[in-house]
């Protein structure tokens, strides 16, 4: 997957695992992803989570005729993170014809839970 000139490139998000029932993305915690108080920005975590859900949906649809689009995301930030790496682990809760719902856990290098998210992805017909 080409991340050139996208938010993924800007935030240095990379793919660790890319399968129909589990997508794992990683992102460094540093100047690009911190808020002014020096902690991982919740918005950066949400970008990571929605990206993992969207990529998982992409693997489960007909990519020639359909496209995944995020329509809802909920995030609970449970632990602060100042540096290091975070990992989003996305697994499907529901795989429907027109929507998919994903559970995403964001953990750090010690497998400590940083955030939990739920994301709904719409499956739209390409025009």
């Amino acid at each position: 997957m080409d991340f050139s000139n996208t938010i993924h490139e800007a935030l240095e998000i990379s793919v660790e695992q890319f399968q129909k029932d589990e997508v794992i993305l990683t992102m460094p915690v540093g100047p690009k992803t911190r808020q002014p108080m020096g902690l991982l920005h919740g918005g950066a975590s949400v970008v990571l989570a929605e990206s993992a859900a969207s990529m998982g949906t992409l693997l489960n649809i007909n990519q020639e005729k359909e496209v995944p689009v995020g329509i809802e995301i909920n995030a609970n930030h449970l632990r602060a993170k100042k540096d290091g790496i975070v990992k989003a682990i996305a697994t499907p809760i529901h795989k429907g014809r027109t929507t998919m719902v994903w559970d995403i856990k964001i953990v750090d290098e010690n497998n400590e839970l940083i955030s939990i998210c739920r994301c709904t992805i719409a499956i739209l017909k390409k025009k």
Side-chain angles (χ1 to χ4, degrees):
M1 190 161 280
D2 183 15
F3 288 164
S4 301
N5 299 311
T6 68
I7 194 166
H8 303 101
E9 180 181 52
L11 299 182
E12 300 178 35
I13 294 171
S14 60
V15 177
E16 187 174 301
Q17 184 167 301
F18 193 50
Q19 298 177 351
K20 284 186 170 187
D21 289 322
E22 185 174 69
V23 172
I24 300 175
L25 303 180
T26 60
M27 179 179 71
V29 179
K32 294 179 181 180
T33 58
R34 286 190 201 120
Q35 40 94 312
M37 300 302 292
L39 304 173
L40 174 62
H41 194 292
S45 296
V46 169
V47 168
L48 184 65
E50 185 170 333
S51 296
S54 294
M55 289 179 185
T57 300
L58 187 66
L59 290 173
N60 285 281
I61 63 175
N62 181 340
Q63 296 176 35
E64 292 179 10
K65 296 181 180 180
E66 300 170 315
V67 61
V69 178
I71 59 173
E72 189 275 335
I73 190 161
N74 170 274
N76 296 98
H77 307 298
L78 307 173
R79 178 171 311 217
K81 184 78 175 150
K82 292 183 177 182
D83 53 27
I85 301 284
V86 288
K87 179 189 302 189
I89 304 163
T91 56
I93 297 169
H94 165 75
K95 290 195 215 179
R97 223 177 12 87
T98 59
T99 62
M100 291 192 189
V101 179
W102 290 77
D103 173 71
I104 308 99
K105 290 179 178 52
I106 299 178
V107 299
D108 68 7
E109 309 90 333
N110 300 315
N111 216 33
E112 294 281 346
L113 193 58
I114 304 298
S115 298
I116 54 172
C117 306
R118 185 184 65 231
C119 186
T120 303
I121 305 292
I123 301 165
L124 302 180
K125 300 288 182 204
K126 282 187 177 179
K127 295 183 181 191

